Amino acid sequence: MLRCMANNRTLTMIKPDAIAQGNVGPIIKKITNSGFKIVALKLTQLSPERAAEFYAVHKGKKFYEELVTFMISGPVIAAVLEKKNAVDDFRALIGTTVDAAQGTIRNLYASSVTKNAIHGSDSNENAVIESEFYFNKDEIIDY
Ligand code: ATP
Ligand code: MG
């Protein structure tokens, strides 16, 4: 189990659409300006198997195939972010998939319900699971 995940870390992915459209810089700027500290970061290409594993909870839903196809269409940037109340504060920063609030990352950069620019863990438990999906312990920095 990763150290210190109680309520202060979340896992994000900048999705292939945001990378292809050149939105990585503005998105990272918004994240760090909002008080999140990057403690791990990598650019990586998901295989079909790894994408299916990450989104296993959605298997069988009508958008699942479209989601996996999209998530393997180009690289993603995965990062572990640290901040008090990280999971909830980050979900607020990115906005919801449908009808993202004004000024949120999805409001600014999503191009469709599936191509919604960014992911944020939805619970502390999933933040730990998703962080371990992308990073070894020695890849997460303790400042
Ligand atoms: P939120 O729960 O705030 O809507 P999320 O990222 O947690 O956002 P999930 O429900 O976990 O969304 O779905 C995972 C991903 O699947 C979404 O981020 C989006 O890319 C895609 N997705 C979700 N619902 C749909 C849908 N109805 N149609 C197409 N794609 C969808
Ligand atoms: Mg969700």
Side-chain angles (χ1 to χ4, degrees):
M1 188 85 94
L2 296 169
R3 201 183 78 79
C4 262
M5 289 287 288
N7 194 26
N8 66 346
R9 282 182 180 173
T10 191
L11 183 283
T12 188
M13 294 183 287
I14 300 177
K15 297 186 179 183
D17 58 324
I19 295 176
Q21 289 166 33
N23 292 327
V24 171
I27 287 173
I28 289 181
K29 183 170 181 177
K30 202 161 168 62
I31 291 170
T32 52
N33 280 353
S34 302
F36 293 88
K37 183 182 279 185
I38 297 169
V39 296
L41 183 79
K42 71 170 67 162
L43 176 72
T44 185
Q45 172 70 50
L46 287 170
S47 65
E49 295 73 24
R50 291 263 298 163
E53 184 187 341
F54 191 92
Y55 284 115
V57 65
H58 293 304
K59 198 169 165 66
K61 294 184 186 168
K62 63 180 187 331
F63 63 83
Y64 173 78
E65 301 296 337
E66 182 187 356
L67 174 61
V68 169
T69 300
F70 161 58
M71 289 301 293
I72 64 174
S73 67
V76 301
I77 291 172
V80 180
L81 304 173
E82 201 167 88
K83 183 184 185 294
K84 186 164 150 267
N85 204 30
V87 166
D88 290 344
D89 285 3
F90 195 70
R91 298 276 289 181
L93 178 66
I94 70 177
T96 48
T97 289
V98 178
D99 290 332
Q102 197 74 28
T104 60
I105 291 174
R106 284 172 171 169
N107 172 251
L108 293 169
Y109 301 113
S111 41
S112 74
V113 176
T114 300
K115 297 177 179 175
N116 62 356
I118 194 157
H119 166 86
S121 306
D122 64 7
S123 66
N124 290 321
E125 186 191 5
N126 282 334
V128 173
I129 292 168
E130 292 172 2
S131 295
E132 290 177 344
F133 178 90
Y134 278 108
F135 299 100
N136 299 317
K137 277 195 183 68
D138 66 357
E139 293 176 306
I140 300 179
I141 302 300
D142 260 324
Y143 284 94

